[in-house]
Amino acid sequence: MTGLLRRLRRRPEAVSARGLLQPVGPRAIQVGAHQVTTAGGVARTLVVTGYPAEANPGWLAPLLNHPGRLDVALHIEPVPTGVAASRLRKQRARLESARRAAVRGGHLDDPEGEAAAADAAELAYRVARGESRLFRVGLYVTVHAPDEEALAEEVASVRAVAESLLLTVEPTTFRALAGWLATRPLGLDPLRVRRTVDTIALTSFFPFASPDIPHTADHEAGGGGVLYGVNALSRTPVFWNRFARSLDNYNSVTLARSGAGKSYQTKLELLRLLFTGARAAVIDPEDEYVRLAEAVGGHTVRLGAGARINPFDLPAPDPADGLQGLVRKVLFLHGFLAVLLGAEPDAARTAVLDQALLLTYERAGITPDVSTFNNPPPTLGDLHQVLGEHPSPAARELADQLVPYVSGSHAQLFNGPSSGQLSGHHLLVFAVRHLPEEVRAPAMVLALDAVWRRVTTGPRRRHLVVVDEAWLLMREREGARFLLRLAKSGRRYWCSLSLVTQDADDVLTSPLGRAIVSNAATQLLLRQSAQAIDQITETFLLSRGERDFLLTARRGETLLLAGHRHRAAVTAVAAGHEHHLVTTDPAELAAREAEQEVAER
């Protein structure tokens, strides 16, 4: 120990470190051959001398999450580019010399040598192009315990974890003090047991990914995803990419009881996806996304408050589509009118309505010929007139039911050409809060149809379609069918449908609802009520621990079911400016309004 302190005195950078030893270290320390003893117990340091051939991001998390007390230190020393190039050149020369000697001796090819030569050549080119750098890295682990017997058990447990990670660890025999100092927050590395790694390998050392959720790096699909939060157990960041090509689809479903934080989590992901270049549209029944849209330069469409969507609007003409464009629109109008009128159509009504819809388009000059799609589309009033001229009782009954929406109290919302521009915005929010509950569901269907036309026309880009309070549509059979069609067709247009609801019964008790859930590769479950937990457990095949987690979860804690096999308990985290945009806590909003009023005075 005296020799070590003498060397510290000679090094100016170490003198300040020795000064730091007083506040961060014990008052006295006893050094043995294998461990050091302090007033808090005994400690032994292990040095990592061997590493796995390949490592994924977050691979060290099992060691960092060990339940015992560990000090893990990673010492990084960059290698100058010139030195790195020279060393790689010598290494390639040695490997090539060994290969040629083996050929002259008549030996078989060495697969390991060939692989090492190829890796060295690839790394040399990356360093030469400036795409990567070399670093000398030392990894040390100090294990603490109250006594020597407990220390032996802890060291054996840590060794087992290290071996499971394909790490080779050795004790610092007769260098116990140097190992203990190497894991103190002093920036000292007296051991200097180093391994040379490149930039990509070095990044995998850091706990920037959760081991429970795979790192879905996909540059063509939006990088490695967005931050969902931190792992509730390991406290490591959880990133997830709903647009990863490895997934069966891009859809998600979020189920939670009221006040669990489902909209908060959804808005956080939406905001972060916007910064990756995705486009988004939101069906917002409670005006929870309006403030967010205003902050990021989005556009809000307030249906019923001066904004209207014509149900008869057609998609952009597509010569390759031919007759199907008009046929699909007529089929949509059948479903929309079923939701609007709130009645299951029988055969007679369906036949009459189909004839009337085609005739309505024909009178407006629109035929299956796509060149006519540029003509002004008809309106609901035109359909009412056609039905009124039809002699059948079913037509007259349909015409009578359309009166409130053509010339009555809801005419402003449904009858007339579309108002407002729905294209060219990276975020589009359809606010339906001020609509009567009776017409919210049909207004949401109209908004979704407008969004779908936006998704299917123009250049292909990542689209996120959020339907908040989806139970408003799920309780309508035709509304649920429309959502299912969107869920099944979205992948081919690079579109993700995100359903958010607080009423699990409307989703899980119907065949259509269960089909929508099965078509969601990303599933988020927040706090559940005791009355709904049994059905949630059965549907999502939850374990006993996951069931108890959902019953006791705090606000913002989420069980993320990603893909087929990956599950993680996630706690939402937001930066200050993000929280300001996404929170809807009434008390917090009221306090802000009060502060603003005081400032204005």
Side-chain angles (χ1 to χ4, degrees):
M1 181 173 180
T2 304
L4 176 62
L5 293 178
R6 188 180 299 115
R7 289 195 298 272
L8 292 176
R9 293 191 188 99
R10 297 195 190 110
R11 294 171 54 192
E13 69 274 14
V15 173
S16 60
R18 188 183 59 173
L20 288 174
L21 197 60
Q22 183 176 0
V24 301
R27 296 177 61 86
I29 183 171
Q30 179 182 350
V31 181
H34 304 285
Q35 68 264 343
V36 296
T37 304
T38 64
V42 291
R44 184 177 302 173
T45 301
L46 301 175
V47 180
V48 177
T49 59
Y51 295 84
E54 296 182 0
N56 295 320
W59 66 281
L60 268 181
L63 184 63
L64 300 176
N65 298 332
H66 188 271
R69 180 188 169 192
L70 299 181
D71 292 333
V72 182
L74 181 66
H75 293 266
I76 304 170
E77 178 185 352
V79 178
T81 303
V83 176
S86 176
R87 291 179 180 176
L88 286 171
R89 186 164 51 250
K90 292 179 181 179
Q91 178 68 10
R92 294 182 64 194
R94 283 194 294 267
L95 293 171
E96 179 63 19
S97 176
R99 187 188 68 82
R100 293 184 180 184
V103 171
R104 286 195 300 268
H107 299 292
L108 294 175
D109 293 341
D110 180 13
E112 294 183 0
E114 295 289 343
D119 292 342
E122 181 185 356
L123 181 57
Y125 284 116
R126 288 208 308 268
V127 171
R129 290 192 297 264
E131 298 175 358
S132 185
R133 293 191 60 184
L134 294 186
F135 300 86
R136 292 184 56 78
V137 173
L139 182 59
Y140 314 118
V141 181
T142 296
V143 186
H144 296 266
D147 52 55
E148 292 190 10
E149 183 178 354
L151 179 63
E153 295 179 358
E154 285 293 327
V155 169
S157 177
V158 171
R159 277 181 172 272
V161 174
E163 290 173 359
S164 70
L165 299 175
L166 302 181
L167 291 173
T168 302
V169 295
E170 300 293 341
T172 55
T173 304
F174 297 114
R175 301 190 67 187
L177 178 60
W180 182 80
L181 286 173
T183 56
R184 296 285 89 193
L186 302 173
L188 296 176
D189 183 11
L191 295 173
R192 298 194 66 80
V193 179
R194 302 292 180 88
R195 173 71 174 268
T196 302
V197 300
D198 66 339
T199 306
I200 297 176
L202 179 60
T203 58
S204 68
F205 280 78
F206 294 92
F208 290 159
S210 172
D212 302 316
I213 301 296
H215 180 71
T216 53
D218 189 342
H219 296 291
E220 295 183 9
V226 298
L227 177 67
Y228 269 54
V230 296
N231 192 302
L233 302 178
S234 64
R235 310 306 298 173
T236 53
V238 176
F239 291 87
W240 181 244
N241 183 10
R242 64 163 62 229
F243 290 100
R245 287 177 292 187
S246 58
L247 299 178
D248 295 336
N249 55 72
Y250 309 138
N251 305 321
S252 72
V253 59
T254 303
L255 299 178
R257 65 183 299 179
S258 178
K262 59 185 182 302
S263 295
Y264 191 95
Q265 177 71 56
T266 303
K267 283 181 281 188
L268 271 181
E269 184 190 10
L270 169 64
L271 180 61
R272 291 163 180 171
L273 277 174
L274 289 175
F275 282 106
T276 67
R279 301 180 71 183
V282 182
I283 311 301
D284 182 12
E286 298 296 336
D287 284 3
E288 292 185 300
Y289 298 78
V290 173
R291 190 169 74 255
L292 173 62
E294 294 173 349
V296 300
H299 180 61
T300 301
V301 179
R302 297 184 180 274
L303 294 178
R308 178 175 55 241
I309 300 175
N310 184 7
F312 289 81
D313 282 345
L314 287 165
D318 184 2
D321 204 17
L323 177 65
Q324 297 303 315
L326 183 59
V327 170
R328 278 197 295 268
K329 188 62 186 182
V330 170
L331 291 176
F332 161 75
L333 288 170
H334 278 283
F336 164 71
L337 291 171
V339 176
L340 182 67
L341 302 180
E344 287 291 335
D346 54 23
R349 288 164 60 99
T350 300
V352 169
L353 183 58
D354 194 69
Q355 295 175 8
L357 289 171
L358 292 173
L359 182 57
T360 302
Y361 274 113
E362 184 178 346
R363 288 186 178 181
I366 298 174
T367 66
D369 184 0
V370 294
S371 63
T372 64
F373 283 16
N374 289 321
N375 293 334
T379 63
L380 199 61
D382 298 325
L383 174 63
H384 179 264
Q385 181 179 354
V386 170
L387 287 172
E389 297 171 358
H390 201 282
S392 69
R396 289 195 297 271
E397 183 181 356
L398 284 170
D400 291 341
Q401 290 179 326
L402 285 176
V403 169
Y405 311 103
V406 173
S407 56
S409 56
H410 303 309
Q412 183 181 3
L413 176 62
F414 296 106
N415 188 25
S418 297
S419 59
Q421 182 66 27
L422 302 183
S423 61
H425 304 285
H426 65 286
L427 174 60
L428 198 58
V429 175
F430 293 89
V432 298
R433 177 183 180 184
H434 299 290
L435 291 177
E437 186 174 349
E438 293 78 11
V439 296
R440 279 194 184 184
M444 292 169 70
V445 170
L446 277 184
L448 281 174
D449 180 61
V451 170
W452 187 243
R453 292 198 304 272
R454 180 181 185 228
V455 168
T456 55
T457 57
R460 290 186 184 271
R461 296 178 58 182
R462 288 176 300 133
H463 289 267
L464 175 64
V465 180
V466 179
V467 183
D468 207 339
E469 302 297 346
W471 61 270
L472 291 169
L473 273 178
M474 295 297 297
R475 64 185 180 181
E476 302 284 348
R477 180 177 178 84
E478 290 300 324
R481 284 182 175 177
F482 189 78
L483 288 176
L484 181 58
R485 286 195 294 270
L486 262 62
K488 289 186 174 181
S489 304
R491 183 179 177 87
R492 72 187 67 170
Y493 295 102
W494 214 0
C495 176
S496 170
L497 177 64
S498 176
L499 296 185
V500 185
T501 183
Q502 63 179 348
D503 198 337
D505 289 340
D506 286 332
V507 177
L508 302 180
T509 57
S510 68
L512 291 173
R514 289 192 296 270
I516 291 175
V517 171
S518 66
N519 278 276
T522 304
Q523 300 163 349
L524 298 100
L525 306 177
L526 288 85
R527 185 173 69 244
Q528 302 292 328
S529 64
Q531 293 78 12
I533 192 62
D534 290 336
Q535 192 173 30
I536 294 287
T537 301
E538 179 182 357
T539 302
F540 295 95
L541 303 178
L542 303 182
S543 66
R544 179 72 181 183
E546 292 168 341
R547 181 182 188 274
D548 293 342
F549 171 80
L550 292 181
L551 285 174
T552 59
R554 291 172 293 183
R555 180 178 298 179
E557 291 185 338
T558 306
L559 179 62
L560 172 61
L561 313 181
H564 297 291
R565 304 177 304 275
H566 307 290
R567 301 181 176 217
V570 181
T571 301
V573 291
H577 63 280
E578 290 178 320
H579 177 78
H580 179 81
L581 294 177
V582 302
T583 184
T584 53
D585 188 336
E588 187 172 348
L589 296 179
R592 288 183 191 173
E593 293 174 359
E595 292 177 0
Q596 186 174 1
E597 291 178 0
V598 171
E600 292 176 353
R601 293 175 187 173

